[in-house]
Amino acid sequence: MAITSANQLELLQTAEAVAREKMIDPDLVIQAMEDSLARAAKSRYGAEMDIRVKIDRKTGRATFTRVRTVVEDDAVENHHAQLTVKQAKAYLADPKVGDEIVDEVPPVDLGRIAAQSAKQVILQKVREAERDRQYEEFKDRKGTIINGAVKREEYGNIIVDIGRGEGILRRNEKIGREAYRIGDRIRCYIKDVRREPRGPQVFLSRTDPQFMAELFKMEVPEIYDGIIEIKAVARDPGSRAKIAVISYDNSIDPVGACVGMRGSRVQAVVNELQGEKIDIIPWNQDTATFLVNALQPAEVSKVVFDEEAGKIEVVVPDEQLSLAIGRRGQNVRLASQLTGLDIDILTEAEESQRRQAEFAERTKLFMDALDVDEMMAQLLVAEGFTNLEEVAYVELDELLSIDGFDEDTAAELQARARDHLEAANAKAMENARALGVEDSLVNFEGLTPQMLEALAKDGIKTLEDFATCADWELAGGWTTENGQRKKDEGVLEKFDMSLEEAQNLIMTARVMLGWVDPTELEQPADEAADDEEAEA
């Protein structure tokens, strides 16, 4: 095929038709044609040549030119496309580095192979432009619901026609065993829009929790208007879901508004989600109250919240256990997702057994350490004493307040507790020394002999070793792996050391070793004091 006057106009018409069909800029199609023609011309004149093609946007005439660039004498790498300043003087009066010498060359006849190559270049450029256009159009619609039609199925994934583009609904983003036929209307949530080297760029979902939230926004005007807010959503797609809502208008019941007249609003969402049962829960700022609501329909007797661990224990009546856990743990799992907490469910009987076990353990501790009878040890436990330190160093009046304890008895108990602790400290220090703990760590203020023994068993024997520790390595902490919270045991966690205490000890050690400038630590305190003065 030769680019002659006979098909110049046809060139422009083809570019217009392709641009209209793909909904892209016609200039992009013409640029693709120019690139493809230049590539074909290089195969004729030589790949080393810098051949460029320019198509006139009005007449369609294609101009082929050979370009040579003026470079430094020692920078010539391609003699076919580059000239030195001296060589360029034959073509230009006053050549400078960077100047270009442009010569028109005869247009080429495209052979079958060259024409096929040119077609591939054009198609590739058009596809790239089409993907860019689709990305620009849908990138701001991420997080919204879109209606489309099923176009085809590929390996269990559904390709959806969403107007000016295509989206993909992956197999794991479908609800249950949903099956679709070509042409079926489908409503999906735009989960992500991203640039991909090939294939669809709009990723759809029907299992994402936010799909349900957006459906409620469409069905409940109060949510759309901001009077009611969806605070949290948890789903077991196709089976059950929980949604927590709050109303900013005291006259509007958030649960009732979401349910609608005779359940019309929630039923519309249920129908779209293939019969998924939905629990609508009033959100509450108080974590314990919110959790009690989240575990509905089960009744809760007591909630014990461990804020540092992000864990919560829920005590339920024995007959309510199966209801609280739900089929295959579904109810407690959804409540956990909704609140963002690890939930342990105990029956009243299990909690009672645990309390009795703790009571018996502490009673035995006091009997053995203080050499007292069971009744006196039980009295100490019943009054809230949990360890020997509390008995040894508590105010004498607190012991005297226990029925049957006189001053002599209280003083004797404290003396025995202190003697036992001193003996235990001496033994722990002896063990720590035997394990190789050095004086630098022994003389460090804030560590008990038992702590030194525990550190030594973990290989921490010098102040330098201690200073390299992280706070969570000492006090323990929680990490999340694959959506599951995992406990990291701390070396000194059994001594009730908090993260803040561990951090202070570590920073003190680093200051003593000269690793940290103490003025840097004092700076924030000074600034805080200045802020307090300014507020006053």
Side-chain angles (χ1 to χ4, degrees), residues 287 301 335 409 430:
T287 304
S301 304
T409 303
E430 183 183 336

Side-chain angles (χ1 to χ4, degrees), residues 281-338:
I281 295 160
W283 185 82
N284 196 295
Q285 192 170 4
D286 179 61
T287 304
T289 305
F290 180 36
L291 182 61
V292 170
N293 294 340
L295 281 169
Q296 291 176 2
E299 297 175 9
V300 176
S301 304
K302 187 167 70 173
V303 174
V304 182
F305 184 39
D306 185 345
E307 193 169 357
E308 185 177 329
K311 199 168 187 176
I312 205 157
E313 282 186 353
V314 176
V315 181
V316 298
D318 294 12
E319 68 277 5
Q320 293 280 316
L321 180 63
S322 60
L323 192 61
I325 294 174
R327 184 166 56 93
R328 296 177 184 172
Q330 187 183 62
N331 193 50
V332 69
R333 186 172 65 251
L334 289 175
S336 180
Q337 290 175 20
L338 202 69

Side-chain angles (χ1 to χ4, degrees), residues 11 68 91 112 205 223 361 366 409 419 443 465 503:
L11 204 66
R68 287 174 290 179
Y91 306 95
R112 184 175 59 82
S205 175
I223 296 177
E361 185 182 344
F366 291 141
T409 303
D419 289 344
N443 298 328
D465 294 340
Q503 194 173 40

Side-chain angles (χ1 to χ4, degrees), residues 191-249:
K191 188 173 184 178
D192 196 10
V193 181
R194 59 176 183 258
R195 294 184 185 275
E196 293 284 329
R198 54 193 298 176
Q201 298 170 297
V202 182
F203 296 89
L204 307 174
S205 175
R206 284 176 56 79
T207 61
D208 194 284
Q210 289 305 312
F211 178 47
M212 188 173 75
E214 289 296 315
L215 287 173
F216 269 103
K217 192 180 292 185
M218 293 170 65
E219 295 293 337
V220 183
E222 291 87 348
I223 296 177
Y224 184 83
D225 293 337
I227 299 170
I228 294 174
E229 183 185 353
I230 298 172
K231 299 291 285 187
V233 184
R235 285 184 68 193
D236 192 349
S239 177
R240 193 169 176 189
K242 290 179 183 284
I243 182 169
V245 292
I246 184 173
S247 173
Y248 295 112
D249 185 336

Side-chain angles (χ1 to χ4, degrees), residues 67-237:
V67 179
R68 287 174 290 179
T69 307
V70 179
V71 297
E72 298 282 359
D73 292 349
D74 57 352
V76 177
E77 295 178 355
N78 181 357
H79 294 285
H80 296 282
Q82 295 173 329
L83 291 172
T84 65
V85 175
K86 184 177 180 181
Q87 291 170 336
K89 287 181 179 178
Y91 306 95
L92 300 174
D94 184 21
K96 295 181 179 62
V97 173
D99 287 349
E100 291 183 342
I101 299 166
V102 181
D103 301 315
E104 189 169 343
V105 295
V108 299
D109 289 337
L110 298 186
R112 184 175 59 82
I113 295 175
Q116 190 67 23
S117 174
K119 181 181 177 183
Q120 291 298 327
V121 171
I122 293 172
L123 288 174
Q124 183 180 348
K125 293 283 185 182
V126 168
R127 276 197 296 267
E128 288 174 2
E130 192 177 9
R131 280 200 291 269
D132 287 341
R133 191 265 312 151
Q134 183 174 326
Y135 174 77
E136 292 298 326
E137 180 172 340
F138 287 99
K139 68 177 181 180
D140 295 328
R141 297 181 66 181
K142 179 181 175 182
T144 62
I145 287 179
I146 194 167
N147 293 308
V150 175
K151 200 169 183 181
R152 63 185 183 278
E153 185 173 350
E154 295 178 353
Y155 309 108
N157 303 324
I158 302 294
I159 306 301
V160 182
D161 183 350
I162 49 177
R164 298 177 63 179
E166 288 182 349
I168 182 169
L169 179 65
R170 295 191 184 278
R171 185 168 39 192
N172 60 332
E173 298 290 349
K174 294 191 290 185
I175 298 174
R177 298 179 179 175
E178 281 183 330
Y180 296 99
R181 291 193 294 259
I182 293 173
D184 284 355
R185 300 296 299 172
I186 186 171
R187 183 183 286 179
C188 299
Y189 175 76
I190 300 180
K191 188 173 184 178
D192 196 10
V193 181
R194 59 176 183 258
R195 294 184 185 275
E196 293 284 329
R198 54 193 298 176
Q201 298 170 297
V202 182
F203 296 89
L204 307 174
S205 175
R206 284 176 56 79
T207 61
D208 194 284
Q210 289 305 312
F211 178 47
M212 188 173 75
E214 289 296 315
L215 287 173
F216 269 103
K217 192 180 292 185
M218 293 170 65
E219 295 293 337
V220 183
E222 291 87 348
I223 296 177
Y224 184 83
D225 293 337
I227 299 170
I228 294 174
E229 183 185 353
I230 298 172
K231 299 291 285 187
V233 184
R235 285 184 68 193
D236 192 349

